[in-house]
Amino acid sequence: MTYCVGILVSGGLVMIGDTRTNAGIDNIATFRKLHLFETPGERVVGIATSGNLSLSQSVLSLVNEGILNPETGQIETLFNVPTMLAAAHLIGRAMRKVYEIDGAALEEHGLHFDMKVLLGGQIGDQPLRLFHLYSEGNSIEATPDTPYLQIGEPKYGKPILDRAISHEVEIRDALKIGLISMDSTLQSNLSVGLPIDILVIRRGELQAAVYHRIDDHDEYFRDLRERWSKALRAAHQSIPNPPYAELL
Amino acid sequence: MTYCVGILVSGGLVMIGDTRTNAGIDNIATFRKLHLFETPGERVVGIATSGNLSLSQSVLSLVNEGILNPETGQIETLFNVPTMLAAAHLIGRAMRKVYEIDGAALEEHGLHFDMKVLLGGQIGDQPLRLFHLYSEGNSIEATPDTPYLQIGEPKYGKPILDRAISHEVEIRDALKIGLISMDSTLQSNLSVGLPIDILVIRRGELQAAVYHRIDDHDEYFRDLRERWSKALRAAHQSIPNPPYAELL
């Protein structure tokens, strides 16, 4: 399993991804799921993937090699697509190509063609955008109304996002809340694990402000987890007792 | 969808269930999922159900009518089974009987035989127990190590339980934490809805201490939701900013 979240706020974009992959619960490994593609000063693009690792690796390999855009005749990579929408289409084409190659065989073996992508970033003076691509290669885009998108196991980490994230929150708060959301998932789902990767892009700055790996020994994240646990305990302790019975 | 949770602590048992059922998102209704069976001074038993409403109603109807126990030759109901384990077996038999009646036809139409049950309570001076019955009629039981069990949509409400519930928490705190867990689910999943039913049984007291419906107008629950939202905001605001970039 996987948990990745992208949060697009007025100040910029935060992307967070875990690194655990498993083929059965007795076969667990660490693979990076959050990737940075940047030409500082010109473009900065982040990609996070979930689902079948072989599929997401194949898609990234194709995207790195470059894929023909039938409309322009150009071989496209994330380093030359002209817009973020073109980047989403490029990845969608790569997903459809991998489906052509591997889809039928997977289905013969009773497996779904399952992979999802978060794609975020900015090219030149165009808007900073965040997309969620489905297995079929189509996509939705974050908006001020719904400024965050998740892939993998979204549920454990969703309540804090629903309550705390809005388009207006500061980017440092978006990162903090994203890390709390990741922590909730780590706590409740063994198939999501440390280390985690974080990417922060400030709107208008055409390079990553943060691209960092948080591991077991990361003091800030350890402190955040402890403080959050303590604060949750204090929070429910501060709520008055239920009045439903004198007995209680 | 559904969310029901049972929490077994040293002081007693808390059971909470929502009431929303849906057949498609445009066909939503309210049905009680948490039921009380008690003979005060002799026994007190709570049942919560999730899954296909027709199946859970059929199971409850069979259990109310009584089912032959082939080993004893007795017609059993929840009002005469001698132990909570026998109650679990009774419900398991009812589930298997409904599967015999409806299972094949459901499967012909591509539907799973899907229902789950939380069964909790105390009979006489025997222990207070909490079981989770699966669609197949088998069960697991809560223990001091894992004092809570969930059916329906468990994920949104699990992080707070994982952090705050232990066998030693006061029963009023177990109720409060259970309500917070329900609130997290209500916030994030439209198919779980108010009103919610709560049942509290104090260990050794052979009758319900609380059996109450919380609706939209319930002041305590409304206050709890507001305080919890505020406390969550305060909690993440109290966490220091991430140090991963001077920029932030």
Side-chain angles (χ1 to χ4, degrees), chain B residues 127-144:
Chain B
L128 179 64
R129 299 175 81 168
L130 172 64
F131 296 90
H132 174 171
L133 284 96
Y134 296 95
S135 297
E136 296 78 8
N138 57 331
S139 65
I140 60 169
E141 183 177 1
T143 66

Side-chain angles (χ1 to χ4, degrees), chain A residues 153-160 162-164 171-173 175-177 179-180 183-185 187-189 198 200 202 205 208-210 212 214 218 220-221 223-225 227-229 231-233 235-245 247-248, chain B residues 153-160 162-164 171-173 175-177 179-180 183-185 187-189 198 200 202 205 208-210 212 214 218 220-221 223-225 227-229 231-233 235-245 247-248:
Chain A
E153 169 51 72
K155 294 186 179 180
Y156 302 111
K158 191 165 183 289
I160 181 64
D162 281 339
R163 288 166 188 285
I171 193 165
R172 61 169 174 266
D173 288 323
L175 175 56
K176 212 163 65 177
I177 294 160
L179 290 173
I180 293 169
D183 175 46
S184 295
T185 313
Q187 288 275 344
S188 292
N189 188 330
I198 61 176
V200 178
R202 291 183 79 84
E205 283 183 13
V210 183
H212 177 73
I214 293 175
D218 187 284
Y220 175 74
F221 191 59
D223 179 61
L224 174 143
R225 303 183 83 169
R227 282 174 187 262
W228 182 246
S229 278
L232 285 193
R233 275 195 295 277
H236 76 74
Q237 281 156 6
S238 76
I239 293 175
N241 287 327
Y244 304 119
L247 289 167
L248 288 171
Chain B
E153 169 51 72
K155 294 185 179 180
Y156 302 111
K158 192 166 183 287
I160 181 64
D162 281 338
R163 288 166 188 285
I171 193 166
R172 60 170 175 267
D173 288 321
L175 175 56
K176 212 164 65 178
I177 294 160
L179 290 173
I180 293 168
D183 174 46
S184 295
T185 313
Q187 288 275 344
S188 292
N189 188 330
I198 61 176
V200 178
R202 290 183 78 84
E205 282 184 13
V210 183
H212 177 73
I214 293 174
D218 187 284
Y220 174 74
F221 191 59
D223 180 61
L224 174 143
R225 302 183 83 169
R227 283 176 188 261
W228 182 246
S229 277
L232 285 193
R233 274 194 296 277
H236 76 73
Q237 280 158 6
S238 76
I239 293 175
N241 286 328
Y244 304 119
L247 289 168
L248 288 171

Side-chain angles (χ1 to χ4, degrees), chain B residues 59-79:
Chain B
V59 165
L60 286 177
S61 294
L62 278 178
V63 167
N64 281 327
E65 273 190 7
I67 297 184
L68 182 73
N69 180 334
E71 285 180 23
T72 63
Q74 203 192 8
I75 300 291
E76 284 183 341
T77 70
L78 289 170
F79 291 101

